[in-house]
Amino acid sequence: SSGSASLIAEIRRPQTATFENQIPMVLSWAELRYERANEILAQIDPQYAFWSSVVYMHPDRTKRTFELINILLQFCVYAEMRFKQAMGCWRPVEYNAEVQPMITTPGHGTFPMGHGTNAYAVAYVLKRLLVLDPNPLVSPAKYQTVIDQLERQAARITTNRVVSGVHFPVDSMAGRMLGVALGEYFVGRCVGATVPQNFMNRTFNAAQVDANSTTDFNP
């Protein structure tokens, strides 16, 4: 409500050992670089072509949708960079020279993943724009397919950042949580005070990951 504040997202930094324990996964996922190289290079910039492959968008036909997505992406960057600077987590190549990323490693911190934040925020907003219910018991099969493909596309984008060698799996996990949280908040701001908003107050609990940091995240 007007004049009040609420917690939207809280992220706790993983232990250094968690990043170290995930280096073997980063190294093993590098085997996928050859088959995903074109995707990885195309996904460095905003992934409009990939989102449009699921939900048809075109600058001439959906100008306002593109404008909205651009605003959303800029909003996400402002939020995620604050987290990155506060956490100050090293990139994979700073832990192990064998990682040898296939693309330039960004100069800011690795955690949480910015591409993951953006991808899941866009997926959430697109689902809300299309008035898609995430409950498979409610959504018709054709709508559930769109929901599934948006989720899979976001997961593919985040996984590719790990495959390329510039991120850890834990980065994508936190990015997903933050992206959904920011997407919920963004939609809430768009609909205004006429629709009551109850945000999830999402939290990424690093302690859970620290205790299971060698889990095999299957890309």
Side-chain angles (χ1 to χ4, degrees):
S1 63
S2 178
S4 63
S6 61
L7 177 66
I8 304 300
E10 179 182 3
I11 298 178
R12 299 173 187 174
R13 188 187 193 279
Q15 297 176 5
T16 300
T18 297
F19 294 111
E20 294 174 340
N21 290 336
Q22 290 193 355
I23 282 293
M25 282 185 282
V26 176
L27 293 173
S28 67
W29 289 16
E31 295 180 2
L32 298 172
R33 289 180 185 177
Y34 180 79
E35 65 182 66
R36 298 193 182 192
N38 289 335
E39 278 184 52
I40 289 170
L41 292 174
Q43 291 169 353
I44 292 176
D45 295 321
Q47 301 86 45
Y48 297 111
F50 294 87
W51 297 318
S52 298
S53 70
V54 179
V55 178
Y56 179 60
M57 298 186 297
H58 191 280
D60 292 335
R61 292 182 57 179
T62 55
K63 294 180 180 179
R64 295 293 178 257
T65 302
F66 271 83
E67 182 179 1
L68 187 70
I69 296 301
N70 282 330
I71 295 171
L72 171 64
L73 291 175
Q74 194 62 61
F75 167 61
C76 287
V77 169
Y78 289 149
E80 71 202 28
M81 289 304 295
R82 291 294 297 272
F83 279 106
K84 284 177 177 288
Q85 296 297 333
M87 301 292 178
C89 299
W90 288 358
R91 295 277 178 167
V93 70
E94 296 178 279
Y95 282 95
N96 191 317
E98 293 180 2
V99 172
Q100 293 185 297
M102 61 169 289
I103 57 177
T104 302
T105 299
H108 46 261
T110 193
F111 180 87
M113 181 190 292
H115 275 67
T117 301
N118 299 346
Y120 278 100
V122 170
Y124 180 85
V125 171
L126 288 176
K127 286 185 289 186
R128 289 298 302 271
L129 278 175
L130 294 170
V131 197
L132 299 181
D133 192 310
N135 186 348
L137 299 179
V138 176
S139 301
K142 62 178 181 179
Y143 296 142
Q144 188 61 41
T145 299
V146 175
I147 294 171
D148 290 344
Q149 289 302 105
L150 286 172
E151 292 290 332
R152 289 169 181 165
Q153 190 72 269
R156 180 86 172 191
I157 291 168
T158 59
T159 298
N160 282 344
R161 297 294 285 178
V162 181
V163 171
S164 69
V166 298
H167 273 289
F168 294 93
V170 68
D171 302 338
S172 64
M173 296 169 64
R176 177 176 184 171
M177 185 282 292
L178 181 59
V180 173
L182 295 179
E184 291 172 339
Y185 179 76
F186 187 82
V187 170
R189 296 290 293 179
C190 287
V191 299
T194 57
V195 180
Q197 298 297 316
N198 295 311
F199 299 111
M200 292 287 291
N201 298 338
R202 297 179 181 274
T203 300
F204 180 80
N205 187 354
Q208 294 282 346
V209 182
D210 291 334
N212 299 281
S213 59
T214 57
T215 300
D216 184 15
F217 295 88
N218 187 346

